[in-house]
Amino acid sequence: DNDGTAEVIKSWSPFCQSHVASPRIDTVYVWDNGQYVAAGGKFPQVVSGDSANFQAALARANSPQTTPAWTPGAKACLHDALAYLDDLTGNSAQADAERAQVRQLDANYDPDAIKKAAAGEPAQTNPS
């Protein structure tokens, strides 16, 4: 952000279907009061790029030509990632709509699994 202090970017996979098929999420950390803290919402261009990658993955997952076929849980994972990214930009209405898709696809999938993974909490469900 050109403030003279370097940001750190951690790129990680939420493992939606597989590491190869799943887009990555980029978490941006900024130096604040003597420590690096997550600040993805301050970098909308990064979040927008990640969202576009997950939208493209969702289009592939919904295509009947996709092999191997995506499981409902793996598709739920993609929607959960989109909800997480929408939360970062403050788009709570869209985040809620994505979580509704998660619940519709797989009632056993934790609709906050990506948020928990981003916070370093253990996964509660296998999204594949």
Side-chain angles (χ1 to χ4, degrees), residues 4-123:
T5 302
E7 289 81 23
V8 175
I9 300 175
K10 176 179 89 172
S11 185
W12 56 282
S13 172
F15 196 78
C16 299
Q17 184 79 348
S18 71
H19 284 294
V20 174
S22 181
R24 301 182 71 72
I25 294 175
D26 298 308
T27 303
V28 180
Y29 294 88
V30 298
W31 189 254
D32 185 26
N33 291 324
Q35 64 181 351
Y36 277 100
V37 295
K42 292 183 180 181
F43 298 89
Q45 70 279 15
V46 173
V47 177
S48 176
D50 288 348
S51 292
N53 291 336
F54 276 91
Q55 289 289 353
L58 192 56
R60 288 189 305 274
N62 288 325
S63 170
Q65 292 83 20
T66 301
T67 304
W70 284 64
T71 65
K75 290 180 184 181
C77 179
L78 294 173
H79 283 285
D80 184 21
L82 287 166
Y84 169 75
L85 294 167
D86 287 328
D87 280 338
L88 289 179
T89 62
N91 190 346
S92 59
Q94 185 60 37
D96 289 344
E98 295 295 347
R99 285 190 190 89
Q101 286 294 315
V102 169
R103 287 187 282 283
Q104 182 177 356
L105 284 163
D106 187 342
N108 294 318
Y109 185 94
D110 178 358
D112 290 321
I114 303 297
K115 183 189 302 185
K116 291 174 183 175
E121 296 177 28

